Amino acid sequence: MGQDGLNLGDQAEGVGLRTRWNRAFGIAVGVASTVSASSSFENKGIGIASDPGSSVSGNTVYRNGSIGINAQVASTVFGNTTYLNGAAGIQTSNGST
């Protein structure tokens, strides 16, 4: 069990990733990044966390301690499956769709 599962920088592309059993984030990406076709589950914190302007699509995110998917300002979130997360399945900020 690590602190974060995968912590990718700005303009990163994560496809087909799988994370679980981390103490904080399962998958965290920087500004203008993409996470797709991935799964993140049973992390203590957030399953997938994206910085502003990112795209989060086609992921399965479940049994995370707080939020399944947390997308920041002006991000696009679509076609994801979330369930049994502690606080919320999907949480978005201003300007996100």
Side-chain angles (χ1 to χ4, degrees):
M1 179 187 293
Q3 183 65 25
D4 292 333
L6 295 169
N7 196 342
L8 307 175
D10 295 347
Q11 299 179 338
E13 182 176 5
V15 179
L17 306 171
R18 181 177 173 202
T19 61
R20 69 185 234 189
W21 298 341
N22 296 288
R23 281 179 262 171
F25 301 111
I27 300 168
V29 295
V31 174
S33 294
T34 300
V35 179
S36 62
S38 297
S39 64
S40 185
F41 56 99
E42 296 178 354
N43 298 289
K44 295 285 184 186
I46 297 170
I48 298 175
S50 68
D51 281 349
S54 294
S55 174
V56 182
S57 65
N59 302 291
T60 303
V61 185
Y62 60 97
R63 285 194 208 138
N64 293 289
S66 63
I67 299 164
I69 297 171
N70 184 8
Q72 297 298 314
V73 176
S75 291
T76 303
V77 180
F78 62 96
N80 298 286
T81 301
T82 68
Y83 57 94
L84 299 175
N85 294 291
I90 299 173
Q91 179 176 310
T92 61
S93 297
N94 296 341
S96 294
T97 58

